[in-house]
Amino acid sequence: MQKQEVTIYDVAREAGVSMATVSRVVNGNTNVRKETRDKVSAVIERLHYQPNAVAQGLASKKTTTVGLIVPGLTNLHFAELSKGIDDIASMYKYNIILSSVENNLLSEEKVIQGLLNKQVDGVIYMSNSMSNKAREAFARTNTPVVLAGTIDESNEFGSVSIDFKTAENDVFNLFYKDGKRKLALAVGDEGAFINKGNRIVYYKEFLEKNNLGAANVYDHITSYEDGYELADKLLADNVDAIMVTRDLPAAGLVNALTDKGIKIPEQLEIVSATSTNIAKVVRPHLTTVQQPLYDIGAVAMRMLTKLMNKEELDEKHISLGYTLQYGQTTLNK
Amino acid sequence: MQKQEVTIYDVAREAGVSMATVSRVVNGNTNVRKETRDKVSAVIERLHYQPNAVAQGLASKKTTTVGLIVPGLTNLHFAELSKGIDDIASMYKYNIILSSVENNLLSEEKVIQGLLNKQVDGVIYMSNSMSNKAREAFARTNTPVVLAGTIDESNEFGSVSIDFKTAENDVFNLFYKDGKRKLALAVGDEGAFINKGNRIVYYKEFLEKNNLGAANVYDHITSYEDGYELADKLLADNVDAIMVTRDLPAAGLVNALTDKGIKIPEQLEIVSATSTNIAKVVRPHLTTVQQPLYDIGAVAMRMLTKLMNKEELDEKHISLGYTLQYGQTTLNK
DNA sequence: ATGAAAGCGCTAACAC
DNA sequence: GTGTTAGCGCTTTCAT
């Protein structure tokens, strides 16, 4: 921290008013005569006075800071969400403290406690599922929390996301309609993979309902290389359609199959459950579930501002629409 | 901000010591008898006491918070840098306040002033070039600043990056060696495009030195679509080799040329000056300048911690090595 | 080794 | 409309 050269006290002295008046001017309180306001403003300008937000925070018990918990910076999925959050946050003059929980240097619980100690006014949570210790810490401090792009089983927190179940059913129905019967699911690692547990459940329900036999779930499919190496297994298992939870490994899979001379989508259909720039870069283009990531982030942040203002929420969970983006990795009959 | 249930004062009372002693225990000061320490620790545990970092910040004039200024969250290039920064920051117990300057809601200067008002202990700057007003604000508060992945003409700040000039010369030499003579350069928009001005200068110097005729600089090539649409222009201009400053538009260009039946790299060589996941997803794979982004971020953050501790720097600018990653978009003779 | 007390820079009653 | 005065929760001399 730097040496604080000029304080509210200096301004008060120079302007010949009390610090209370300066505070009023700084905070736009209307109970100040125009002349006084102008006089004070001039001094503020002249001395380059800038309020110390830390002192403001201590005195007012508001820091205009929100914590952001992401499972990983380098996943574009979260970057897109963050952008929506960031835009709304800056619109409402909030700063964002970024906390990544991908490196396990600190446990999620410690990271959250650190955020709470910094007296953030609220938290946006984008990871997969929250530990109980973390829940307790939030409860103890009653700091508002909103989940963005993920859901909360306990319905304890506000949340904004698409309807994952319907989306997944749409994908498998598409496969089914295209005549595919050996359907598979590839999921990534915990944490970064939203709603992983439920996704597997939905998948199995679909198989059962349609009498499609045993499940083929491929786990830990996270990187491009994971996707690339998945190709052989799929061929060995005679899979003819697969939903992959991220587009990066999906792109790896597409390239691997192309290298092997497999016809996509004729022999194997592929859909990615998330969509970033990568989906359009790869050839053939991926068919994806297009989540309105920016909007999810923006709506979540908007919801958080309401919570921080102690406003009532119309609904605790907001479900945003998704679109099935038809690319060239499905037949689209 | 939440209601602060338990303060250092409560702990002091419960433990039968003064708040000064509690403070010592919390901060690991050794001048406390073991018994006292244990007694206090027990109370802290029991009451779930957590120090209020805002109050600590005000009293100690250190917030253990650093500001991060990025030109855009959704550019993986900055995400990779941020990850290196984040890892080192959390190692040294610093929190990160993220400030994106891509939306022009707030001017860069205002964003920086906001960070300074929050009393950040230091700033990592990743944007292209800093406004003078921003420089003045930093100078007024003497907050340490380190540039990550970009350079500072004025040499006012610490910085960590690759040697852009040598890297660019390597690329154009590669083209030249492969027999290409109509060399072009595609650059993106200001801000997000590091070192844009110099890149053009280096390019022109190369042309001149090798008697390669007039320059072909294509500006505002930022998105995938920009790259895709660039193809026609390049063909019209008879360009036979081009360096593109980002891999996303480079991928668009590759796909466009492939769609037109142009042979890469025989008819046209392409090199991207940055490299992310996209470079390996596109077919043919991009030849890229591979910057050690994670390391640049990590080293920059490490440098900042030294500055924040008032340590002397061995060198103000650290230059990290890059590698020319040979893909399939150059002949590589 | 421990405690008392003075701030850190600001906000927010409460007076006038 | 403006000033006075307590704090906010903590760190940090300075005593002891």
Side-chain angles (χ1 to χ4, degrees), chain A residues 267-278:
Chain A
Q267 284 185 252
L268 186 55
E269 287 193 326
I270 301 167
V271 171
S272 169
T274 66
S275 176
T276 68
N277 280 330
I278 288 168

Side-chain angles (χ1 to χ4, degrees), chain B residues 112-330:
Chain B
I112 290 174
Q113 190 59 65
L115 240 28
L116 260 17
N117 293 354
K118 293 252 157 132
Q119 314 299 117
V120 293
D121 296 335
V123 168
I124 299 246
Y125 188 88
M126 297 193 266
S127 194
N128 187 36
S129 69
M130 201 183 291
S131 69
N132 281 326
K133 290 216 171 188
R135 280 171 203 277
E136 287 166 23
F138 281 128
R140 254 198 308 277
T141 56
N142 63 62
T143 305
V145 179
V146 172
L147 310 193
T150 174
I151 55 172
D152 176 33
E153 298 292 315
S154 74
N155 202 30
E156 211 170 325
F157 305 116
S159 57
V160 182
S161 72
I162 64 164
D163 182 339
F164 290 111
K165 180 165 188 173
T166 310
E168 186 163 333
N169 268 310
D170 281 358
V171 172
F172 286 115
N173 269 318
L174 171 67
F175 291 154
Y176 195 87
K177 199 166 43 95
D178 285 347
K180 307 296 185 180
R181 291 297 179 271
K182 186 71 178 172
L183 314 184
L185 176 69
V187 294
D189 294 321
E190 288 291 353
F193 282 86
I194 300 312
N195 209 15
K196 174 173 169 180
N198 282 331
R199 284 200 147 128
I200 297 175
V201 171
Y202 303 150
Y203 163 65
K204 290 186 173 167
E205 282 174 6
F206 187 91
L207 291 184
E208 197 157 334
K209 203 174 59 192
N210 294 283
N211 268 316
L212 293 176
N216 281 284
V217 177
Y218 302 92
D219 203 346
H220 309 296
I221 308 298
T222 303
S223 67
Y224 178 86
E225 286 73 19
D226 292 339
Y228 198 93
E229 287 159 16
L230 182 60
D232 279 333
K233 288 186 219 155
L234 297 185
L235 296 175
D237 293 347
N238 288 314
V239 168
D240 57 13
I242 185 166
M243 171 168 145
V244 181
T245 50
R246 271 184 70 187
D247 59 359
L248 181 60
L253 175 59
V254 167
N255 281 345
L257 292 170
T258 303
D259 289 349
K260 291 179 195 305
I262 305 299
K263 283 228 166 72
I264 305 172
E266 291 77 9
Q267 284 185 252
L268 186 56
E269 287 193 327
I270 301 168
V271 171
S272 169
T274 66
S275 175
T276 67
N277 280 330
I278 288 167
K280 61 182 170 188
V281 169
V282 72
R283 291 294 177 88
H285 293 320
L286 285 170
T287 294
T288 63
V289 176
Q290 191 105 32
Q291 296 188 38
L293 294 175
Y294 180 91
D295 294 342
I296 291 172
V299 171
M301 184 64 213
R302 181 68 188 97
M303 186 187 265
L304 187 61
T305 63
K306 287 184 184 168
L307 253 20
M308 293 187 296
N309 286 331
K310 314 260 183 244
E311 292 174 35
E312 276 301 316
L313 252 37
D314 298 333
E315 35 186 358
K316 205 160 182 182
H317 174 76
I318 296 180
S319 189
L320 261 38
Y322 58 88
T323 55
L324 214 50
Q325 188 82 26
Y326 295 99
Q328 304 155 337
T329 56
T330 47

Side-chain angles (χ1 to χ4, degrees), chain B residues 18 20-21 24 31-33 36 59 61:
Chain B
S18 74
T21 300
R24 287 186 188 103
N31 276 349
V32 184
R33 234 184 8 195
T36 317
K61 297 185 156 297

Side-chain angles (χ1 to χ4, degrees), chain A residues 199-313:
Chain A
R199 284 199 148 129
I200 297 176
V201 171
Y202 303 151
Y203 163 64
K204 291 188 174 167
E205 282 173 5
F206 187 90
L207 291 184
E208 196 157 336
K209 203 173 59 191
N210 295 281
N211 268 316
L212 293 175
N216 281 285
V217 177
Y218 302 92
D219 203 346
H220 310 297
I221 307 300
T222 304
S223 67
Y224 177 85
E225 286 73 18
D226 293 338
Y228 198 93
E229 287 160 17
L230 182 60
D232 279 333
K233 288 186 220 157
L234 296 186
L235 296 175
D237 294 347
N238 289 313
V239 168
D240 56 13
I242 185 167
M243 171 166 147
V244 181
T245 50
R246 272 185 69 187
D247 59 358
L248 181 60
L253 176 59
V254 167
N255 281 344
L257 292 170
T258 303
D259 289 350
K260 292 180 195 302
I262 306 298
K263 283 226 165 74
I264 304 173
E266 291 78 7
Q267 284 185 252
L268 186 55
E269 287 193 326
I270 301 167
V271 171
S272 169
T274 66
S275 176
T276 68
N277 280 330
I278 288 168
K280 62 183 171 189
V281 169
V282 71
R283 291 293 176 88
H285 292 321
L286 285 171
T287 295
T288 63
V289 176
Q290 191 105 33
Q291 296 186 38
L293 295 174
Y294 180 91
D295 295 343
I296 290 173
V299 171
M301 184 62 212
R302 181 67 189 96
M303 186 187 266
L304 187 61
T305 63
K306 287 185 184 167
L307 254 19
M308 292 187 296
N309 286 331
K310 314 258 182 246
E311 291 174 35
E312 276 301 315
L313 252 38

Side-chain angles (χ1 to χ4, degrees), chain B residues 19-81:
Chain B
M19 48 186 297
T21 300
V22 179
S23 174
R24 287 186 188 103
V25 172
V26 169
N27 294 296
N29 187 315
T30 48
N31 276 349
V32 184
R33 234 184 8 195
K34 184 168 184 328
E35 308 165 40
T36 317
R37 173 180 305 281
D38 291 345
K39 187 173 57 180
V40 172
S41 298
V43 175
I44 287 177
E45 189 97 345
R46 180 158 61 80
L47 301 186
H48 289 295
Y49 168 72
Q50 291 291 145
N52 180 325
V54 173
Q56 288 180 315
L58 183 58
S60 69
K61 297 185 156 297
K62 288 171 144 298
T63 56
T64 58
T65 303
V66 303
L68 212 65
I69 299 178
V70 287
L73 267 16
T74 53
N75 185 333
L76 254 183
H77 183 257
F78 299 107
E80 299 272 3
L81 280 170

